[in-house]
Amino acid sequence: MTATPNPPATPPLPGATDDWLRLDGQICFSLHAASRAFNGVYRVVLRDLGLTYPQYLVMLVLWEHGTLPVKRLGEYLRLDSGTLSPLLKRLETSGLVRRERSARDERSVEVRPTGEGTALRERAAEVPRRILAATGLGGDELRSLSAGLHALTEALDRAAAEGV
């Protein structure tokens, strides 16, 4: 993977018409680049756990909530079933989760961590600390950034629901 060139320290705020179409002025690209950089760090950190970043996210939700219907798991992760199903299949093949038809509603499939999947949580406990160290941010800075991104996501979800 090649590193992207460093953008200017302060990207131009859109003002002149030409500035609106500059790559370094696009917040979406800044978020995209940061996401790709995070994925690179997670790839290294998660290697010892035998997980990919999306698989790690699935396990985080299951460690937090226990058994969940696939639909609800997808809602937490903002993933559709076409993306989530192959992830769950690989995690099941690895022995970390089990998928079963719901006893209450056989149209629904529930996912739960296996004993091995639950035990993996202990080994994963160091992951957030390693990621925090890689960011170079302090805990308060990271919480503030996370809160800002959460607010941005909610605003964008509202805008999309309203047809922008």
Side-chain angles (χ1 to χ4, degrees), residues 102-158:
S102 169
R104 292 180 301 260
D105 178 1
E106 63 182 51
R107 294 171 299 173
S108 177
V109 174
E110 294 182 335
V111 183
R112 67 173 172 80
T114 62
E116 187 179 344
T118 301
L120 185 63
R121 186 178 193 274
E122 187 175 317
R123 290 182 44 218
E126 190 63 27
V127 170
R129 284 184 281 279
R130 291 180 66 189
I131 296 300
L132 177 61
T135 68
L137 299 174
D140 289 341
E141 290 173 299
L142 200 60
R143 278 187 286 282
S144 176
L145 176 60
S146 181
L149 291 172
H150 182 75
L152 176 62
T153 301
E154 287 182 346
L156 292 171
D157 282 346
R158 279 192 305 276

Side-chain angles (χ1 to χ4, degrees), residues 2-140:
T2 59
T4 56
N6 290 332
T10 54
L13 290 175
T17 306
D18 291 345
D19 288 347
W20 284 101
L21 298 177
R22 287 181 52 124
L23 182 62
D24 61 2
Q26 307 297 311
I27 186 67
C28 58
F29 183 73
S30 296
L31 291 169
H32 171 74
S35 178
R36 289 184 54 86
F38 260 117
N39 285 339
V41 172
Y42 271 104
R43 190 175 304 111
V44 172
V45 172
L46 295 173
R47 188 177 301 135
D48 291 341
L49 299 179
L51 295 174
T52 64
Y53 176 69
Q55 291 171 341
Y56 174 68
L57 296 179
V58 168
M59 295 308 298
L60 286 175
V61 174
L62 294 175
W63 291 329
E64 182 177 350
H65 298 283
T67 302
L68 286 172
V70 171
K71 181 176 180 177
R72 185 73 179 129
L73 182 60
E75 290 168 356
Y76 277 115
L77 296 171
R78 301 176 67 101
L79 295 174
D80 61 44
S81 63
T83 303
L84 188 55
S85 291
L87 275 172
L88 295 174
K89 187 174 185 175
R90 285 190 296 276
L91 285 168
E92 190 170 37
T93 299
S94 298
L96 298 176
V97 303
R98 181 170 201 109
R99 295 180 294 171
E100 297 174 337
R101 292 251 168 239
S102 169
R104 292 180 301 260
D105 178 1
E106 63 182 51
R107 294 171 299 173
S108 177
V109 174
E110 294 182 335
V111 183
R112 67 173 172 80
T114 62
E116 187 179 344
T118 301
L120 185 63
R121 186 178 193 274
E122 187 175 317
R123 290 182 44 218
E126 190 63 27
V127 170
R129 284 184 281 279
R130 291 180 66 189
I131 296 300
L132 177 61
T135 68
L137 299 174
D140 289 341

